[in-house]
Amino acid sequence: MTAHDISLSRRNLLKGAGALVIGLSLPQAGRAQSGAAQVFSPGGAAAFAPNAFVRIAADDTVTVLVKHIEFGQGPFTGLATLVAEELDADWGQMRAEHAPADAKLYANLAFGIQGTGGSTAIANSFEQMRRAGATARAMLVQAAAQAWKVPAAEITVERGVLKHASGKQGRFGEFAEAASRLQAPAEVPLKDPARFKLIGKDGTTPRLDSLGKSTGKAQFTIDIRTPDMLTVVVARPPRFGGKVASFDATEARKVKGVVDVRQIPSGVAVYATGTWPALKGREALKVAWDESGAETRGSRELIAEYRRLARTEGTVAGRHGDAEAVLARADKVIEAEFVFPYLAHAPMEPLDGYLEWNGQGALARLGSQLQTIDHQVIAKVLGLGPEKVRVETLLGGGSFGRRAQPTSELAAELAEAAKAIGPNRPVKLVRTREDDLSGGYYRPLFLHRMRGVLKDGRITAWSAAIVGQSFLKGSPFEAMIKDGVDPVMVEGASELPYEIADFRCDLHTVDVGVPTLWWRSVGHTHTGYAVECFVDRLLQEAGQDPVAGRLALMGKQQRLATVLKAVADLAKWNGPGPVGGRARGVGVVESFGSYVAQIAEVSLGEGGEPKVHKVWCAIDCGVAVNPDIIRAQIEGGIGFGLGHVLYGELTLDQGRPVQTNFDSYRSLRINEMPEIEVAIVPSSEKPTGVGEPGVPPIGPAVANALARLGRERPLSLPMVGGSV
Amino acid sequence: MPGRAGAAAAAALLLGAASALAQSAPAPQPGADLRPASSFAGIADQRDRSVALFNEIGKVLLHPRCVNCHPATERPRQGDARRLHQPMVVRGKDGHGAPGLACATCHGKQNFDPAGIPGDGHWALAPAAMAWEGRTLGQICEQLKDLNRNGSRDLAAIVRHVTADTLVLWGWNPGKGREPAPGTNAQFGELMQAWVDSGAACPAV
Amino acid sequence: MVHSINVNGTTHRVDVDDDTPLLWVLRDNLGLTGTKFGCGVAQCGACTVYMDGQPLRSCSLPVSAVGDARITTIEALAGKEAEAVQAAWVKHDVPQCGYCQSGQVMSAIALLKEIRKPTDRDIDLAMTGNLCRCTTYVRIRAAIHDAARTLEG
């Protein structure tokens, strides 16, 4: 993902413009309330579109077409910041809107297709969006130069105003039309970072979406209402892999508002004039399920099998030295076995989608995270060429990975539901919380068996066996699996940041009929916990300080060591305690190219539950484009991670999900949220991710604090109320 | 994508409602029985009879339908498993919750089974003085008779309260997913009256 | 059957089943989509509206139980508490995904109407019924304190 991968050729620019002209005719009702809709309104002929990403209107607004889905992590603001910086725009004139699905124009440069994930939005857009802004700036300057009959080099741009020493000045909107008749320059210079006015400057780029989201005006997929639209809910099998054997819709059809009932591949779809009639219709439906191919094992059985497998030889995912030999001749082997439950993403807005088609073409609108795959799947289901299908991305009410399905199960179900009732019946597919939590695509259940040896106060050997499911296997991302090792199952565990002479990591990949998926910070959700708990335990046994002991092992890991030192300074680290009933624990994890260290201050609260009072965090994510969004993502990452290590589990009982709503899938509440203090370590490295890296360290930080309060580091998550 | 064990399992057809509208709570169980008041008539000693009657009454008082909202702390419990109420709600100044999160924020005047939410016209927590949670039946009995801890009710008023108050009656009509209090309210009222008539003796504390 | 309900100062007649939760009447029949669906069982608070000025989870009240009560949704917020809270929400950039924030804002305003200068404990007790999966709680707390300062003048 370097600058030369980015092609903003004239040809592509024209195609981009064409795609957007088509966009003008789309219904406006559900667009993100970014204030940008007017730019696209028919008749907005003066809009200047220098490339696929920037639109400047006569009214002086600058709209950035954001290729990534905005579901809270901040790409609307972040990508607009990059454009505004090089454009020298005033932040007040910036708007953001989702770009349509178009893999040629809007691919994630880290993936090659349009999509969001791996905390790559800023990283892959950093130069692309700056170049888009710089191109627009150059063309506006050229237009002004022609109008004023002065050399372009003599024109300056500051906060959205073009100026010449002669006293002439004008705003972008005045030159938009003239600029639109110019040819885009092939090369544009980018700013020297020393001249940045917005990037990295606290307080200059408040979020573009806060007002709409604080007033109820922001539009999500669930808010779409169009004439004659039907709301659809689907009855799905109670166990994964089950199928419809037969169904009786007699009673369902009697429910007032139910319009139709149809079988689709994922179950039985109930179509109604509103959500409640659809739900009542589904309640009244009788379905006979064929469970001959269903997964009937529960979490308990799976854990037992994983335990057995962890004691056999697996596929080597990482090795140096000869850990087995050292373990075999050690006087004492320290062992720990960590069990991680299935977890649901449970975005606040359960997954949903809208689709209208007339037999020849289709428009789909949903919180799409892998637009290219969703686009292709919808086209395939409807038997249309992809060019006949438009996919609009809407604000997502959370995702945490759930909206990025390599299988596009949501888009497929949406298209199947539309197809089953036939053309010219727009459908909005909605899911309830029960559908969401019992619907699979979980963070896989994992088991880590760790063994280590200490000699003379040093860790001399480390062996880990990891057992779990691979969601890359059989997916479009299968090529990532190398030599039988799915890298996202072992990331963070197959190589350690700590120098240990004899090391080994084995992987056991198990086939289970439960659909699983990446979940905010992916493999690091479990490897971070296992590694950081185990190293902390070994250091404790060796009588070493959690911070100093780690630093002593971090020879080549300068950036990681730097954040650990930074967080220790921030927290005024003076050992783990406990002091006054509160102990402190450390967790430090590199993920998605970012380095994060956290210290958690913990006591034992009501009923012996861990009470986390405060978390200090230091992060090095390269150039910090929007410092306040970075802090927000760290706060959110810590809360999300903490909520799940404390309370989160999705248990299967004979193949059936046990937790079906927030009453049993306990989610962190405000009274359980710690105070958080974040230090962003200054860096001139390329920007890296912030959406996910805040998650992994918090679990082990809490566990390591508990170990200083006389508790064992929890070997099985969640820490509170675990049912298996 | 059957798992290995799944594939090995015999083909099974399950017939049933496709999915629950709300949480998949267990179907309501009929409450346990209460012995009728008349069945205690054979106990000759009045005090023994009174204590025996109260022990029977205790099946109701100590049932989750009653004790969940007579908590020892400021936090009620919920469900047949008596777990702490989620979200974290408190008694508040008047038993109706905290400012911004009153009981009535979620609990209406009637049960709403589609959402699994119980309700009553004056859904509230019992005052702290009337806490039953963690107490012995003997302690609860003394409490029930103590004008300082029973809302200044004489015994007749207590009987009226437990047979007429809608929130007490709710215990036998708790909505989907919750086990009703044992017996019927009528039986309970008869037991209470018989206990009062026999001198309202209490079990040992 | 036809139900007559007062929402945001206007009486609406809606022809829906008696057991239809108020939430779906607001969203599907009246088009007031600022009020969100998150759980359907009064666990998350995304559907919070006011009934006669008091916070109510609209997912758990059937339309037949609304009666003569006045319902207020986020679309019709007015008054100095609402202004202070929404301004503080923007100032602190509280929302991330934003989906729960209608409910958070409704609960925060209700709190400040009852308690002018809430403590952290007051905030915990009033806001614990509103889930945020992005866990924006640190900023929710800061914004409520800030709004309280604004109201103090």
Side-chain angles (χ1 to χ4, degrees), chain A residues 235-236 239 241 245 276 279-280 282-283 285-297 305 434 510-511 513 515 606 656 660 663-664 666 669 671, chain B residues 1-25 73 75 78 83-84 86-88 112 114-115 176:
Chain A
R236 298 177 194 82
R239 287 187 173 93
W276 191 246
L279 293 172
K280 281 182 82 173
R282 183 171 71 172
E283 186 79 356
L285 194 59
K286 294 275 190 289
V287 186
W289 301 104
D290 171 1
E291 294 200 313
S292 56
E295 177 58 79
T296 57
R297 286 174 294 180
E305 184 179 347
E434 289 80 7
V510 185
D511 288 325
E606 196 174 358
R656 291 175 184 240
T660 60
D663 55 342
S664 46
R666 186 172 164 189
R669 296 182 182 276
N671 51 302
Chain B
M1 44 168 182
R4 274 169 274 172
L13 290 183
L14 292 181
L15 191 67
S19 66
L21 268 183
Q23 70 221 83
S24 54
T73 70
R75 295 184 60 186
Q78 65 185 166
R83 63 153 202 192
L84 280 171
Q86 283 289 343
M88 178 190 72
F112 186 53
K176 195 180 83 176

Side-chain angles (χ1 to χ4, degrees), chain A residues 446-654:
Chain A
F446 268 91
L447 183 141
H448 288 236
R449 181 180 182 229
M450 325 285 294
R451 290 177 299 153
V453 176
L454 289 172
K455 190 165 184 236
D456 305 328
R458 285 177 41 246
I459 304 170
T460 57
W462 176 297
S463 172
I466 300 174
V467 191
Q469 285 173 255
S470 167
F471 48 78
L472 295 184
K473 199 174 159 185
S475 86
F477 296 91
E478 187 160 22
M480 288 169 70
I481 300 175
K482 294 278 193 302
D483 299 325
V485 175
D486 172 344
V488 304
M489 296 173 74
V490 297
E491 56 187 0
S494 58
E495 283 178 67
L496 300 186
Y498 306 115
E499 290 180 342
I500 295 167
D502 293 283
F503 169 82
R504 175 172 177 143
C505 176
D506 278 28
L507 174 67
H508 300 267
T509 308
V510 185
D511 288 325
V512 182
V514 178
T516 58
L517 193 61
W518 30 51
W519 185 99
R520 194 174 184 178
S521 80
V522 198
H524 299 283
T525 60
H526 50 95
T527 62
Y529 187 87
V531 168
E532 283 298 291
C533 281
F534 197 57
V535 77
D536 202 79
R537 173 160 169 206
L538 293 173
L539 289 171
Q540 189 175 3
E541 295 232 4
Q544 299 197 29
D545 177 82
V547 172
R550 280 177 174 81
L551 287 172
L553 294 170
M554 283 183 183
K556 297 183 189 110
Q557 298 288 331
Q558 275 319 303
R559 293 178 75 184
L560 204 59
T562 301
V563 294
L564 181 53
K565 286 180 208 156
V567 80
D569 287 346
L570 190 67
K572 300 185 172 60
W573 176 262
N574 187 25
V579 175
R582 296 185 182 190
R584 290 177 169 196
V586 176
V588 51
V589 178
E590 180 208 342
S591 64
F592 309 94
S594 293
Y595 302 80
V596 180
Q598 293 172 6
I599 292 173
E601 186 167 285
V602 183
S603 69
L604 297 176
E606 196 174 358
E609 287 189 15
K611 169 75 185 167
V612 183
H613 299 273
K614 177 152 186 183
V615 179
W616 294 266
C617 178
I619 176 170
D620 169 1
C621 57
V623 173
V625 175
N626 302 96
D628 197 51
I629 289 184
I630 294 168
R631 281 191 291 270
Q633 285 307 296
I634 293 297
E635 291 161 8
I638 288 170
F640 189 80
L642 179 62
H644 290 88
V645 298
L646 288 179
Y647 314 122
E649 62 173 338
L650 202 302
T651 314
L652 299 180
D653 179 11
Q654 297 178 49

Side-chain angles (χ1 to χ4, degrees), chain A residues 606, chain B residues 70-77 84 89-91 125-126 128 131 133:
Chain A
E606 196 174 358
Chain B
H70 281 257
T73 70
E74 59 174 358
R75 295 184 60 186
R77 294 178 177 267
L84 280 171
V89 294
V90 295
R91 180 179 285 113
L125 273 195
E133 184 185 31

